[in-house]
Amino acid sequence: MRTWTIVKYTLLSNVRDVRTIISHLLSPVILMVILGSALSAAFNATSLGIIKVGVVIKEETDFSKNLCEYLEKETDFLTLEKYKTVEEIKKAIEEEAISVAIEVPEDLEAKVAEGEKAEVLLWTSNKDSYQTTVVKTLLGVCMDATNTILAEVEYGVQMPSYELKETIHDNPITIDGNRAGAMDYYAVTIMVMTLMYGAAIGAKEFELNLKGDMGKRLRNTPAGTARILAAKIISSIFIVFIQGMIVVLLSKYVFDANWGNNMGIVMGYVALGAVFSTELGIMICVLVNNAELVGGVLTMLVPLMTLMSGGFFKISFGGIEKSFPNYQLQNLLFQTIYQGNTKSISSSLIYVVGAIVVMFAVSVIVGGRKKIW
């Protein structure tokens, strides 16, 4: 019995199971559409708008005067409104009349004159908002200028002063160009998740055809265990590859997802992912030696790897995400589609290929010791 004959009949037996194929494809496609539609706003830049700033000056001083003059110059993106009390700015922030407020205490210059630490307070409802960051930066610039003048006075500089200059320049930019939208992003991440679920196919072929009664019968045929194993791996890889490519083509031609200009390279990476997931399934099955348990492990493992790799939401785990195969496969595709860093592509390729070699070695060594082969 030739290897390709075994591959042919394995493929035919799997293709007949239409219900399983549809279930493997339908869920990822639905998830891709839901995420791509619901989170599209997170991938599209919008206007930042005018930042409304409130200020409470409890004592008119040179510093408070200069601060107001400095902020009022930035009329393109900032408006300044004066309040009499802190209670008023708190209420204004709660009612969203202003985004950020500055409080200049009445004893500011007195403390500075005595050489004590003096603070200007910043009030906000969200310390991580871009409005807070912008106002905090502008306030910091003004404070730095004041501290510089005070230092010059202390060291005897005569009549220190500073000159306000334009430090913010208008440079129009466009959000058009080679960047991923929501559907583009989730087409890649969900396709990779589909490939990773292919590990279950590799585990299933291993369990059905190399163990139990079926395995015994096949090992007694003239084909031999090595040829049977090779045929089953090839057929499993092909099935996983086809599933991945169906997701690619559906997302590209039905949902207009961007897969770049070189589909040949994309197909190569899909094939590489299919090899990885199939070998992962076989290795887990060899180590665990329980098909039902393998199915349960993969059911939990694949979504977790997708989450940790930013497949559902663009989040970072301090670099830990780079250790997951989903991240490396996604990186290969994103860097290729959007013409990114070639060094990053090389490192991801080394990771994926290296992992395949390691998993194959583990499968062969452990399987030999357990007398599976």
Side-chain angles (χ1 to χ4, degrees):
M1 186 182 294
R2 294 181 179 180
T3 302
W4 291 111
T5 303
I6 301 174
V7 171
K8 175 184 174 182
Y9 283 103
T10 302
L11 288 174
L12 289 174
S13 64
N14 281 281
V15 169
R16 291 192 187 103
D17 191 2
V18 178
R19 181 179 297 178
T20 301
I21 293 174
I22 292 175
S23 66
H24 283 168
L25 289 173
L26 193 60
S27 297
V29 170
I30 292 174
L31 183 60
M32 177 184 67
V33 174
I34 292 174
L35 290 174
S37 302
L39 301 178
S40 59
F43 289 79
N44 296 323
T46 57
S47 174
L48 298 181
I50 300 295
I51 302 173
K52 298 178 181 179
V53 182
V55 61
V56 173
I57 299 175
K58 296 184 177 180
E59 181 182 3
E60 288 289 344
T61 61
D62 290 338
F63 172 78
S64 62
K65 181 181 177 182
N66 292 333
L67 174 63
C68 290
E69 288 180 357
Y70 178 64
L71 294 176
E72 286 171 347
K73 286 178 66 67
E74 307 299 345
T75 55
D76 290 342
F77 63 90
L78 184 148
T79 60
L80 189 66
E81 186 172 349
K82 294 182 180 180
Y83 292 84
K84 294 180 180 180
T85 64
V86 173
E87 286 68 26
E88 288 182 358
I89 62 174
K90 287 182 179 179
K91 184 179 179 181
I93 290 175
E94 289 177 0
E95 294 175 351
E96 299 183 354
I98 58 175
S99 303
V100 189
I102 300 170
E103 179 190 352
V104 181
E106 58 185 355
D107 57 349
L108 179 70
E109 289 201 354
K111 286 185 176 181
V112 172
E114 294 174 3
E116 297 180 11
K117 183 179 180 180
E119 295 181 341
V120 176
L121 303 179
L122 198 66
W123 294 85
T124 179
S125 61
N126 183 3
K127 66 178 183 179
D128 296 321
S129 68
Y130 79 89
Q131 295 98 329
T132 303
T133 302
V134 170
V135 175
K136 187 176 180 180
T137 302
L138 293 173
L139 181 59
V141 171
C142 194
M143 295 293 289
D144 288 342
T146 302
N147 290 332
T148 301
I149 292 174
L150 292 174
E152 289 178 346
V153 170
E154 186 176 345
Y155 284 99
V157 177
Q158 298 297 318
M159 299 183 67
S161 63
Y162 65 90
E163 179 184 354
L164 289 175
K165 292 185 177 180
E166 288 290 339
T167 56
I168 299 177
H169 303 282
D170 292 331
N171 292 306
I173 60 174
T174 176
I175 62 172
D176 296 330
N178 204 16
R179 59 191 298 274
M183 194 60 72
D184 305 324
Y185 181 81
Y186 288 113
V188 171
T189 62
I190 299 304
M191 190 281 294
V192 170
M193 185 180 76
T194 303
L195 291 179
M196 296 310 296
Y197 270 121
I201 296 176
K204 175 186 173 183
E205 289 300 328
F206 172 84
E207 181 71 19
L208 290 177
N209 298 290
L210 290 172
K211 295 179 64 180
D213 294 336
M214 177 65 74
K216 291 178 182 178
R217 288 197 295 271
L218 285 172
R219 285 195 294 271
N220 289 327
T221 64
T225 304
R227 183 175 293 180
I228 295 169
L229 177 62
K232 295 300 178 180
I233 290 175
I234 291 171
S235 60
S236 299
I237 291 170
F238 187 77
I239 293 168
V240 177
F241 170 75
I242 291 299
Q243 289 182 346
M245 286 306 303
I246 289 174
V247 175
V248 171
L249 296 175
L250 274 175
S251 63
K252 180 178 176 66
Y253 294 108
V254 177
F255 302 106
D256 199 29
N258 179 21
W259 285 95
N261 299 320
N262 197 329
M263 285 300 293
I265 295 178
V266 170
M267 290 175 65
Y269 290 151
V270 174
L272 188 64
V275 174
F276 182 97
S277 64
T278 302
E279 186 53 51
L280 176 65
I282 292 174
M283 183 189 72
I284 294 176
C285 206
V286 168
L287 294 174
V288 176
N289 206 25
N290 185 320
E292 292 183 2
L293 183 59
V294 169
V297 169
L298 291 173
T299 300
M300 295 184 294
L301 186 62
V302 173
L304 178 62
M305 290 193 301
T306 303
L307 173 65
M308 295 295 291
S309 303
F312 298 133
F313 308 101
K314 296 178 73 173
I315 50 179
S316 174
F317 293 94
I320 298 175
E321 63 275 6
K322 294 181 180 179
S323 62
F324 290 92
N326 294 54
Y327 177 90
Q328 300 297 340
L329 288 169
Q330 289 167 191
N331 186 59
L332 277 174
L333 289 163
F334 283 130
Q335 296 292 345
T336 300
I337 294 169
Y338 299 101
Q339 300 172 4
N341 192 337
T342 54
K343 187 178 292 186
S344 180
I345 294 175
S346 299
S347 63
S348 292
L349 271 174
I350 292 170
Y351 174 101
V352 176
V353 174
I356 291 172
V357 172
V358 170
M359 289 189 296
F360 180 78
V362 170
S363 300
V364 171
I365 294 171
V366 176
R369 290 180 179 179
K370 291 184 177 182
K371 297 182 180 180
I372 295 175
W373 319 124

